[in-house]
mmCIF file with all atom_site columns, all heavy atoms in Angstrom:
data_model
loop_
_atom_site.group_PDB
_atom_site.id
_atom_site.type_symbol
_atom_site.label_atom_id
_atom_site.label_alt_id
_atom_site.label_comp_id
_atom_site.label_asym_id
_atom_site.label_entity_id
_atom_site.label_seq_id
_atom_site.pdbx_PDB_ins_code
_atom_site.Cartn_x
_atom_site.Cartn_y
_atom_site.Cartn_z
_atom_site.occupancy
_atom_site.B_iso_or_equiv
_atom_site.pdbx_formal_charge
_atom_site.auth_seq_id
_atom_site.auth_comp_id
_atom_site.auth_asym_id
_atom_site.auth_atom_id
_atom_site.pdbx_PDB_model_num
ATOM 1  N N   . ARG K 1 19 ? 5.564  13.563 -33.230 1.00 0.00 ? 19 ARG K N   1
ATOM 2  C CA  . ARG K 1 19 ? 5.794  13.826 -31.796 1.00 0.00 ? 19 ARG K CA  1
ATOM 3  C C   . ARG K 1 19 ? 5.050  12.850 -30.901 1.00 0.00 ? 19 ARG K C   1
ATOM 4  O O   . ARG K 1 19 ? 5.482  12.522 -29.821 1.00 0.00 ? 19 ARG K O   1
ATOM 5  C CB  . ARG K 1 19 ? 5.405  15.258 -31.440 1.00 0.00 ? 19 ARG K CB  1
ATOM 6  C CG  . ARG K 1 19 ? 6.369  16.311 -31.958 1.00 0.00 ? 19 ARG K CG  1
ATOM 7  C CD  . ARG K 1 19 ? 6.147  17.632 -31.230 1.00 0.00 ? 19 ARG K CD  1
ATOM 8  N NE  . ARG K 1 19 ? 4.786  18.111 -31.378 1.00 0.00 ? 19 ARG K NE  1
ATOM 9  C CZ  . ARG K 1 19 ? 4.399  18.946 -32.322 1.00 0.00 ? 19 ARG K CZ  1
ATOM 10 N NH1 . ARG K 1 19 ? 5.269  19.397 -33.233 1.00 0.00 ? 19 ARG K NH1 1
ATOM 11 N NH2 . ARG K 1 19 ? 3.144  19.353 -32.400 1.00 0.00 ? 19 ARG K NH2 1
ATOM 12 N N   . HIS K 1 20 ? 3.872  12.403 -31.346 1.00 0.00 ? 20 HIS K N   1
ATOM 13 C CA  . HIS K 1 20 ? 3.049  11.502 -30.539 1.00 0.00 ? 20 HIS K CA  1
ATOM 14 C C   . HIS K 1 20 ? 3.198  10.045 -30.928 1.00 0.00 ? 20 HIS K C   1
ATOM 15 O O   . HIS K 1 20 ? 2.543  9.181  -30.336 1.00 0.00 ? 20 HIS K O   1
ATOM 16 C CB  . HIS K 1 20 ? 1.577  11.909 -30.633 1.00 0.00 ? 20 HIS K CB  1
ATOM 17 C CG  . HIS K 1 20 ? 1.279  13.257 -30.049 1.00 0.00 ? 20 HIS K CG  1
ATOM 18 N ND1 . HIS K 1 20 ? 1.390  14.424 -30.802 1.00 0.00 ? 20 HIS K ND1 1
ATOM 19 C CD2 . HIS K 1 20 ? 0.892  13.636 -28.804 1.00 0.00 ? 20 HIS K CD2 1
ATOM 20 C CE1 . HIS K 1 20 ? 1.056  15.458 -30.033 1.00 0.00 ? 20 HIS K CE1 1
ATOM 21 N NE2 . HIS K 1 20 ? 0.744  15.015 -28.814 1.00 0.00 ? 20 HIS K NE2 1
ATOM 22 N N   . ALA K 1 21 ? 4.018  9.753  -31.920 1.00 0.00 ? 21 ALA K N   1
ATOM 23 C CA  . ALA K 1 21 ? 4.168  8.366  -32.367 1.00 0.00 ? 21 ALA K CA  1
ATOM 24 C C   . ALA K 1 21 ? 4.830  7.509  -31.300 1.00 0.00 ? 21 ALA K C   1
ATOM 25 O O   . ALA K 1 21 ? 4.571  6.302  -31.215 1.00 0.00 ? 21 ALA K O   1
ATOM 26 C CB  . ALA K 1 21 ? 4.969  8.321  -33.661 1.00 0.00 ? 21 ALA K CB  1
ATOM 27 N N   . TRP K 1 22 ? 5.692  8.109  -30.470 1.00 0.00 ? 22 TRP K N   1
ATOM 28 C CA  . TRP K 1 22 ? 6.407  7.319  -29.462 1.00 0.00 ? 22 TRP K CA  1
ATOM 29 C C   . TRP K 1 22 ? 5.452  6.814  -28.374 1.00 0.00 ? 22 TRP K C   1
ATOM 30 O O   . TRP K 1 22 ? 5.799  5.909  -27.610 1.00 0.00 ? 22 TRP K O   1
ATOM 31 C CB  . TRP K 1 22 ? 7.483  8.169  -28.815 1.00 0.00 ? 22 TRP K CB  1
ATOM 32 C CG  . TRP K 1 22 ? 6.962  9.354  -28.071 1.00 0.00 ? 22 TRP K CG  1
ATOM 33 C CD1 . TRP K 1 22 ? 6.680  10.595 -28.569 1.00 0.00 ? 22 TRP K CD1 1
ATOM 34 C CD2 . TRP K 1 22 ? 6.632  9.409  -26.675 1.00 0.00 ? 22 TRP K CD2 1
ATOM 35 N NE1 . TRP K 1 22 ? 6.197  11.409 -27.591 1.00 0.00 ? 22 TRP K NE1 1
ATOM 36 C CE2 . TRP K 1 22 ? 6.159  10.710 -26.416 1.00 0.00 ? 22 TRP K CE2 1
ATOM 37 C CE3 . TRP K 1 22 ? 6.679  8.488  -25.635 1.00 0.00 ? 22 TRP K CE3 1
ATOM 38 C CZ2 . TRP K 1 22 ? 5.741  11.110 -25.156 1.00 0.00 ? 22 TRP K CZ2 1
ATOM 39 C CZ3 . TRP K 1 22 ? 6.281  8.877  -24.361 1.00 0.00 ? 22 TRP K CZ3 1
ATOM 40 C CH2 . TRP K 1 22 ? 5.801  10.197 -24.147 1.00 0.00 ? 22 TRP K CH2 1
ATOM 41 N N   . LEU K 1 23 ? 4.216  7.355  -28.343 1.00 0.00 ? 23 LEU K N   1
ATOM 42 C CA  . LEU K 1 23 ? 3.240  6.878  -27.342 1.00 0.00 ? 23 LEU K CA  1
ATOM 43 C C   . LEU K 1 23 ? 2.570  5.573  -27.767 1.00 0.00 ? 23 LEU K C   1
ATOM 44 O O   . LEU K 1 23 ? 1.987  4.885  -26.917 1.00 0.00 ? 23 LEU K O   1
ATOM 45 C CB  . LEU K 1 23 ? 2.155  7.943  -27.148 1.00 0.00 ? 23 LEU K CB  1
ATOM 46 C CG  . LEU K 1 23 ? 2.569  9.240  -26.444 1.00 0.00 ? 23 LEU K CG  1
ATOM 47 C CD1 . LEU K 1 23 ? 1.422  10.229 -26.456 1.00 0.00 ? 23 LEU K CD1 1
ATOM 48 C CD2 . LEU K 1 23 ? 3.019  8.970  -25.020 1.00 0.00 ? 23 LEU K CD2 1
ATOM 49 N N   . LEU K 1 24 ? 2.668  5.215  -29.040 1.00 0.00 ? 24 LEU K N   1
ATOM 50 C CA  . LEU K 1 24 ? 1.927  4.056  -29.526 1.00 0.00 ? 24 LEU K CA  1
ATOM 51 C C   . LEU K 1 24 ? 2.439  2.751  -28.891 1.00 0.00 ? 24 LEU K C   1
ATOM 52 O O   . LEU K 1 24 ? 1.647  1.910  -28.460 1.00 0.00 ? 24 LEU K O   1
ATOM 53 C CB  . LEU K 1 24 ? 2.034  3.962  -31.051 1.00 0.00 ? 24 LEU K CB  1
ATOM 54 C CG  . LEU K 1 24 ? 1.364  5.098  -31.815 1.00 0.00 ? 24 LEU K CG  1
ATOM 55 C CD1 . LEU K 1 24 ? 1.600  4.929  -33.316 1.00 0.00 ? 24 LEU K CD1 1
ATOM 56 C CD2 . LEU K 1 24 ? -0.112 5.166  -31.512 1.00 0.00 ? 24 LEU K CD2 1
ATOM 57 N N   . LEU K 1 25 ? 3.760  2.574  -28.809 1.00 0.00 ? 25 LEU K N   1
ATOM 58 C CA  . LEU K 1 25 ? 4.305  1.345  -28.243 1.00 0.00 ? 25 LEU K CA  1
ATOM 59 C C   . LEU K 1 25 ? 3.969  1.194  -26.752 1.00 0.00 ? 25 LEU K C   1
ATOM 60 O O   . LEU K 1 25 ? 3.499  0.105  -26.331 1.00 0.00 ? 25 LEU K O   1
ATOM 61 C CB  . LEU K 1 25 ? 5.806  1.285  -28.468 1.00 0.00 ? 25 LEU K CB  1
ATOM 62 C CG  . LEU K 1 25 ? 6.504  0.012  -27.973 1.00 0.00 ? 25 LEU K CG  1
ATOM 63 C CD1 . LEU K 1 25 ? 5.916  -1.205 -28.657 1.00 0.00 ? 25 LEU K CD1 1
ATOM 64 C CD2 . LEU K 1 25 ? 8.005  0.084  -28.212 1.00 0.00 ? 25 LEU K CD2 1
ATOM 65 N N   . PRO K 1 26 ? 4.162  2.216  -25.898 1.00 0.00 ? 26 PRO K N   1
ATOM 66 C CA  . PRO K 1 26 ? 3.759  2.046  -24.492 1.00 0.00 ? 26 PRO K CA  1
ATOM 67 C C   . PRO K 1 26 ? 2.267  1.791  -24.319 1.00 0.00 ? 26 PRO K C   1
ATOM 68 O O   . PRO K 1 26 ? 1.864  0.963  -23.488 1.00 0.00 ? 26 PRO K O   1
ATOM 69 C CB  . PRO K 1 26 ? 4.179  3.363  -23.848 1.00 0.00 ? 26 PRO K CB  1
ATOM 70 C CG  . PRO K 1 26 ? 5.237  3.895  -24.707 1.00 0.00 ? 26 PRO K CG  1
ATOM 71 C CD  . PRO K 1 26 ? 4.904  3.486  -26.088 1.00 0.00 ? 26 PRO K CD  1
#
Side-chain angles (χ1 to χ4, degrees):
R19 286 198 301 267
H20 296 87
W22 64 273
L23 292 174
L24 295 177
L25 182 59

